[in-house]
Amino acid sequence: ACGDLMITDNRMPKMSGLDLIKKQAAYGCKGEVQNKLVLTSVNSKKESQMAKGIGCKILKKPFKLAEIQHWIAECEKGIDPNRKLADLNLATL
């Protein structure tokens, strides 16, 4: 899946949120990586460096709703309404 904004947890059953963001890019998602937020309960130095390398934001739990609302508002300012997020192959649908 690809979108203008994405919020994911870093601890998921089969992969981390950081790995999900890397896979999206590898499969052609053109959504801005800085518009992807990873929530984590353990903000290790390794995770922080990985997020910085990818270009996404990481937010440690617990967080305040206002932090996410502010992040969303900032992301919305840079979204081009005419963007193309991913190539759509209608033959596979």
Side-chain angles (χ1 to χ4, degrees):
C2 186
D4 288 320
L5 297 172
M6 184 179 81
I7 300 173
T8 184
D9 196 82
N10 200 40
R11 304 279 185 231
M12 297 187 293
K14 295 188 179 186
M15 76 174 74
S16 73
L18 293 168
D19 288 334
L20 171 64
I21 292 170
K22 290 192 307 187
K23 284 184 184 238
Q24 283 183 319
Y27 285 105
C29 178
K30 294 175 180 66
E32 298 291 331
V33 75
Q34 67 267 19
N35 291 354
K36 297 179 182 191
L37 175 65
V38 178
L39 304 175
T40 184
S41 56
V42 179
N43 191 3
S44 70
K45 188 173 183 175
K46 181 181 176 183
E47 286 179 343
S48 293
Q49 289 173 338
M50 190 173 179
K52 186 176 181 177
I54 294 170
C56 64
K57 179 162 176 72
I58 196 163
L59 185 61
K60 188 167 181 349
K61 299 176 198 175
F63 53 85
K64 296 186 187 284
L65 183 57
E67 292 175 283
I68 293 181
Q69 290 171 324
H70 175 74
W71 175 80
I72 290 171
E74 290 300 307
C75 291
E76 286 178 328
K77 291 177 186 177
I79 296 173
D80 176 3
N82 299 312
R83 78 266 173 231
K84 183 175 181 183
L85 291 174
D87 295 322
L88 182 60
N89 185 349
L90 296 176
T92 62
L93 295 179

